[in-house]
Amino acid sequence: MKTPDCDRFYIGGEWVAPAGASSVVPIIDPASEAQIGTVTLGSVADVDRAVAAARAAFPAFSATDPGERAALLRRIAELLDERAEGIAQAITREMGCAIGFSRAAQVPFGIAHVRAAIEVLDRFDFLRRQGTTAIAREPIGVCTLITPWNWPLYQMTAKVAPALATGCTMVLKPSELSPLSAQIFAQVLDDAGVPAGVFNMVMGAGPDVGAALSRHADVDMVSITGSTRAGVEVAMAAAPTVKRVTQELGGKSPNILLDDADFANVVAPGVASAMRNAGQSCSAPTRMLVPRDRLAEVEALAVAAAEAMIVGDPADENTLMGPLANRPQFDKVQAMIEMGIAEGARVVCGGTGRPDGLTSGFYARATIFSDVSMDMRIASEEIFGPVLCLVPYRDEEDAIRIANDTCYGLGAHVQSADLDRARRVARQIRAGQVHINLPAWDAHAAFGGYKQSGNGREYGAFGFEEYLETKAMLGYFPS
């Protein structure tokens, strides 16, 4: 089955052809390495058209009643529910995510962001009294939304939903490496009746379309999810116009197994968390910190968990881990595994090359390194693949030190039989989100990073407020 080519942009409420000269790149199925379509990349001219449409639509949309915006978001959520299977299939085709995970996580978690935005909007106070002063929260304006390929729908809704809820207009630049789900998403918004110009979408590469959107004088805010390198480039491009920039960037999250944890029940879920989505998650807990005297025990449990993972065709419902999303990512993961071996880390599972029986596709082996120290690159750099580092520690204080010994601070995990102890350790971790004892995911929990993992927060009320300005009107309420 050939995928339709992605050769139109959504601007001003219409699907339009590129404004000028544009390049066309192939869409590659990561499971077969075959071309399944093409995507047309935009230019500065397309950016200018999209921003102009968003700017023209802002006065009317920013003045809409919150109830009207909530109704719009409900229609979007309903249409996403109706088309969930098609979106799941698209994500599996374009980035190799196992179809079971696309259905169970990629799509429903994405829809959950829309529902969370509705819940926040329904109770949000846009004007509140403070003595004789009124504090107004107003939409920031035209927003550039830059999203990655690893969680396509999830990241689009995490930005678009709160932007719509607050009354902003926007230009979405999804990753050119995951265009199929983006096309469906844009069609959903059109079918839901988003007013012309409120939502616009231009495909393109970061150095071209992303940079043009970031520096554009008529853009009031940029929200980017991507690598730390990309976040820095966006911030630099945005700086001359002093616009707001929120960044959700890289991570090297620790998973601290305190010595009183039930290892038989926490190691396997820790391995699964590190390797879900083939390890292509910025918050994946890819450093498992374990008591030195119990390293062998953890190794055995971790290897058993990794070897039980079914790696193969992502369209097969029995598959737990599909291929990596693209050739550059496959090559990077292979190079980092080779680096770990060269650095002296001990491979206890996996290694370089494809899993046995797979001769093509961007498949990587579920790999576990042990005896990893923080001076090794595999312990300090984001690999973005199914690679887990077992890092031994001496005592609780040493575990906290190691957990914080990173330029990142996106996520962390703590496992302990003593909840008060786990809470105490969690409070000392320099990260934006900490999971204590394998909790359920929460669409309203603030998500974002300390240090080089970014600025600002997403999800729930925290992400909602990033799209608002604060205005104080003194004397609004005369005494």
Side-chain angles (χ1 to χ4, degrees):
M1 180 178 67
K2 188 177 186 298
T3 299
D5 293 336
C6 301
D7 58 356
R8 293 288 187 273
F9 306 139
Y10 188 78
I11 299 175
E14 297 180 338
W15 290 99
V16 300
S22 58
S23 58
V24 177
V25 297
I27 303 171
I28 303 297
D29 179 347
S32 66
E33 302 184 50
Q35 180 174 329
I36 57 174
T38 61
V39 57
T40 300
L41 305 184
S43 64
V44 173
D46 299 301
V47 167
D48 288 341
R49 277 200 302 173
V51 172
R55 177 55 64 193
F58 179 70
F61 190 67
S62 62
T64 54
D65 182 81
E68 183 181 340
R69 299 197 297 271
L72 174 61
L73 287 163
R74 289 188 180 94
R75 291 196 297 274
I76 291 169
E78 290 166 1
L79 289 173
L80 289 172
D81 276 332
E82 291 175 8
R83 300 174 195 182
E85 178 60 19
I87 299 170
Q89 293 285 349
I91 291 171
T92 292
R93 290 204 82 197
E94 69 192 357
M95 53 104 26
C97 182
I99 187 61
F101 193 74
S102 290
R103 290 170 177 156
Q106 290 270 8
V107 175
F109 289 178
I111 298 173
H113 285 311
V114 182
R115 301 202 183 282
I118 296 168
E119 291 165 7
V120 175
L121 178 57
D122 283 344
R123 63 175 184 263
F124 195 82
D125 188 0
F126 287 92
L127 183 71
R128 64 179 178 84
R129 183 168 184 166
Q130 181 178 288
T132 60
T133 297
I135 303 298
R137 305 303 305 279
E138 300 178 344
I140 193 169
V142 175
C143 303
T144 286
L145 310 176
I146 300 175
T147 59
W149 47 260
N150 59 321
W151 285 82
L153 179 69
Y154 180 89
Q155 294 292 349
M156 288 187 288
T157 55
K159 299 182 191 302
V160 171
L164 287 174
T166 53
C168 293
T169 59
M170 67 213 71
V171 180
L172 171 69
K173 192 206 84 65
S175 173
E176 70 278 14
L177 299 174
S178 54
L180 307 181
S181 53
Q183 294 283 113
I184 299 173
F185 179 67
Q187 190 60 55
V188 162
L189 267 64
D190 182 73
D191 293 344
V194 174
V198 169
F199 169 82
N200 305 274
M201 184 180 77
V202 177
M203 294 286 184
D208 302 318
V209 170
L213 282 167
S214 300
R215 65 174 177 260
H216 204 291
D218 278 337
V219 167
D220 301 294
M221 171 184 172
V222 181
S223 176
I224 176 174
T225 297
S227 68
T228 297
R229 174 196 54 77
V232 169
E233 291 176 355
V234 163
M236 292 175 66
T241 49
V242 199
K243 55 173 61 75
R244 183 178 300 173
V245 178
T246 63
Q247 307 155 307
E248 192 265 282
L249 308 176
K252 195 70 178 179
S253 300
N255 182 5
I256 301 176
L257 277 55
L258 294 173
D259 55 15
D260 63 350
D262 181 357
F263 286 16
N265 287 314
V266 301
V267 172
V271 173
S273 294
M275 297 188 181
R276 69 174 185 162
N277 207 35
Q280 297 168 130
S281 297
C282 50
S283 61
T286 53
R287 292 185 294 144
M288 185 176 286
L289 279 53
V290 304
R292 183 172 292 281
D293 60 359
R294 300 184 67 180
L295 184 59
E297 177 186 353
V298 173
E299 286 178 359
L301 292 166
V303 168
E307 290 182 342
M309 289 184 175
I310 301 172
V311 183
D313 181 0
D316 188 328
E317 296 186 359
N318 294 314
T319 294
L320 295 179
M321 189 168 79
L324 295 169
N326 51 70
R327 168 64 69 178
Q329 194 57 35
F330 175 82
D331 291 342
K332 177 188 175 183
V333 170
Q334 296 301 312
M336 290 302 294
I337 294 173
E338 292 174 357
M339 176 62 67
I341 295 170
E343 290 177 317
R346 187 160 48 85
V347 179
V348 295
C349 179
T352 56
R354 296 183 178 89
D356 293 342
L358 295 171
T359 58
S360 62
F362 305 135
Y363 296 94
R365 301 171 69 189
T367 298
I368 299 174
F369 285 103
S370 190
D371 282 323
V372 176
S373 59
M374 289 305 299
D375 59 350
M376 296 179 180
R377 285 182 59 189
I378 57 168
S380 62
E381 296 184 19
E382 187 175 44
I383 299 174
F384 228 59
V387 181
L388 174 65
C389 296
L390 303 183
V391 184
Y393 67 83
R394 293 188 307 274
D395 52 26
E396 182 180 301
E397 182 180 359
D398 192 40
I400 295 168
R401 179 192 63 79
I402 293 170
N404 290 330
D405 184 15
T406 172
C407 66
Y408 298 113
L410 188 56
H413 295 237
V414 179
Q415 321 298 335
S416 175
D418 182 340
L419 181 56
D420 286 338
R421 184 185 184 195
R423 289 168 173 164
R424 184 180 70 246
V425 171
R427 291 292 300 270
Q428 297 177 74
I429 304 302
R430 298 281 294 170
Q433 191 176 89
V434 183
H435 293 218
I436 297 174
N437 292 336
L438 308 171
W441 179 71
D442 180 359
H444 287 277
F447 185 69
Y450 285 32
K451 300 184 277 188
Q452 292 184 29
S453 286
N455 294 293
R457 292 297 180 267
E458 292 192 297
Y459 309 173
F462 306 93
F464 190 97
E465 293 194 354
E466 295 287 357
Y467 294 88
L468 295 170
E469 287 283 21
T470 302
K471 177 188 288 181
M473 292 178 282
L474 287 71
Y476 192 94
F477 299 105
S479 58

